Amino acid sequence: MFFAFARKIWIKRDDCTGLSTGGNKTRKLEFLMAEAQAEGADMVMTQGATQSNHARQTAAFAAKLGMDCHLLLEDRTGSKDANYNHNGNVFLDHLHGATAEMRGPGLDMNAEMENVAADLRKTGRKVYTIVGGGSNPTGALGYVDCAFELLNQANQRGLVIDHLVHATGSAGTQAGLVVGLRAMNANIPLLGIGVRAPKEKQEENVYNLAVKTAEKLGCPGVVSRGDVVANCDYVGEGYGIPTPGGIEAINLFARLEAVLLDPVYSGKGAAGLIDLVRKGQFKKGERVVFLHTGGSASLFSYTTAFEFGETSSPQTTK
Ligand SMILES: *Cc1c(COP(=O)(O)O)cnc(C)c1O
């Protein structure tokens, strides 16, 4: 699962988690879907942005387990692009057999979902709801597990990790990782590159979830506030809106390593990584692991963000 990118940068390939086109939500869903099954659910529901990777992985997991899946998708970007609204993850949601309904921006989406679930339960459905991003203590256990796996892999090959970097959004990935690293006494600084909220808010969200996750794991108090560090300088205009740095990172990874990033998450995470390398925050000789959280399915909904990506007029030259 490791992939050597340059001399001192390694990629942990959670874009290759196996379901559908992969991604980090699959690890959280291993725990969440088990809980759904244990509760006897016949349907799962979750919510996310139009191009939610989490929604698509939930749809894929439900298909695999023979459960129904219903999605609530929030129009967070206002994009009218046909590919954005129908291709990429949206196409895959339907391909995996999920049903979906849209919501305008700015609603309390978890509350919206609970309302729809309550109506479905009245008709006899056994609905298990999953919060946005699968980011509750149950889901975050998937990333506690990932921290253990990463340390084992590093130990097996004698790799000392100086930094671990990844894109952070709904906070479950970073919360699980920080708990896992602390519980294992691993002294590896973890840096989340934000894709939506400002730094203070993002760190607070991660910390609060980490506290609850540590309790669930049986290691209360293992994480302190100072362990949670996010850099939210690479969000750009907002969630789901591509940035020049993110597009540069996607192009670099595709052309140098044949690794696919995405404009919403992993591209912005890698943009932060690249910029911090250039600025010398990661020093020469230090070994940095970039956790690739997936997202490549959304590339096909963002083709117009690339200079060759104009879909209306095919180009034969250049
Ligand atoms: C959801 C997601 C993230 C962020 O993970 P969180 O656990 O929500 O913080 C990062 N990258 C990709 C591709 C994602 O889909």
Side-chain angles (χ1 to χ4, degrees):
M1 286 277 272
F2 277 114
F3 191 84
F5 169 68
R7 231 176 67 227
K8 305 290 183 196
I9 294 178
W10 297 72
I11 307 178
K12 171 73 171 155
R13 299 292 305 268
D14 271 13
D15 57 324
C16 301
T17 43
L19 276 180
S20 190
T21 53
N24 64 338
K25 303 314 181 301
T26 297
R27 285 189 191 270
K28 304 182 195 181
L29 287 163
E30 283 181 350
F31 288 82
L32 293 160
M33 297 299 271
E35 199 169 86
Q37 283 191 312
E39 290 181 12
D42 58 18
M43 176 187 249
V44 292
M45 269 192 78
T46 196
Q47 58 90 2
T50 306
Q51 282 294 333
S52 168
N53 300 300
H54 166 66
R56 182 254 310 159
Q57 284 164 86
T58 304
F61 219 133
K64 173 105 178 161
L65 297 182
M67 297 166 100
D68 288 336
C69 177
H70 186 59
L71 305 169
L72 250 59
L73 300 178
E74 178 187 9
D75 179 15
R76 267 184 223 166
T77 66
S79 169
K80 295 286 170 266
D81 185 87
N83 277 332
Y84 183 81
N85 288 293
H86 303 290
N87 204 338
N89 283 300
V90 178
F91 174 76
L92 294 178
D93 293 341
H94 294 297
L95 190 63
H96 293 306
T99 50
E101 52 187 293
M102 292 300 301
R103 288 290 185 275
L107 296 169
D108 178 343
M109 287 293 286
N110 284 325
E112 287 290 311
M113 174 174 70
E114 290 305 333
N115 287 340
V116 175
D119 286 343
L120 286 163
R121 286 183 189 117
K122 280 180 206 150
T123 71
R125 299 306 306 254
K126 297 197 182 69
V127 186
Y128 179 87
T129 55
I130 301 173
V131 292
S135 287
N136 62 16
T138 302
L141 287 179
Y143 270 90
V144 172
D145 205 41
C146 178
F148 295 171
E149 183 183 296
L150 179 66
L151 288 173
N152 275 326
Q153 289 177 318
N155 290 343
Q156 271 163 20
R157 63 185 62 211
L159 174 70
V160 176
I161 301 173
D162 295 305
H163 298 276
L164 178 56
V165 181
H166 68 96
T168 180
S170 68
T173 300
Q174 191 170 2
L177 285 173
V178 77
V179 169
L181 292 172
R182 273 295 169 205
M184 296 270 284
N185 263 328
N187 199 22
I188 301 173
L190 176 64
L191 176 63
I193 307 288
V195 299
R196 191 178 187 188
K199 175 182 170 74
E200 198 54 38
K201 176 117 193 337
Q202 186 66 22
E203 290 182 348
E204 210 53 43
N205 289 348
V206 172
Y207 177 65
N208 291 338
L209 181 54
V211 167
K212 290 187 203 140
T213 304
E215 278 165 16
K216 190 174 179 88
L217 187 69
C219 306
V222 80
V223 171
S224 54
R225 179 63 182 80
D227 297 331
V228 176
V229 183
N231 180 328
C232 298
D233 296 344
Y234 303 94
V235 177
E237 275 177 61
Y239 176 89
I241 301 174
T243 58
I247 298 299
E248 183 202 14
I250 294 169
N251 276 312
L252 267 178
F253 276 56
R255 288 168 196 208
L256 297 178
E257 293 298 332
V259 168
L260 299 178
L261 303 176
D262 78 279
V264 185
Y265 293 99
S266 52
K268 287 183 182 177
L273 170 72
I274 291 165
D275 189 53
L276 295 173
V277 168
R278 284 176 180 153
K279 284 179 174 155
Q281 178 164 328
F282 302 129
K283 307 218 164 32
K284 224 176 158 192
E286 284 190 326
R287 287 138 300 197
V288 182
V289 172
F290 178 66
L291 172 69
H292 188 337
T293 44
S296 63
S298 83
L299 277 174
F300 306 102
S301 67
Y302 278 100
T303 53
T304 53
F306 296 82
E307 94 270 2
F308 48 83
E310 211 51 68
T311 44
S312 50
S313 54
Q315 295 193 341
T316 49
T317 53
K318 239 185 170 183

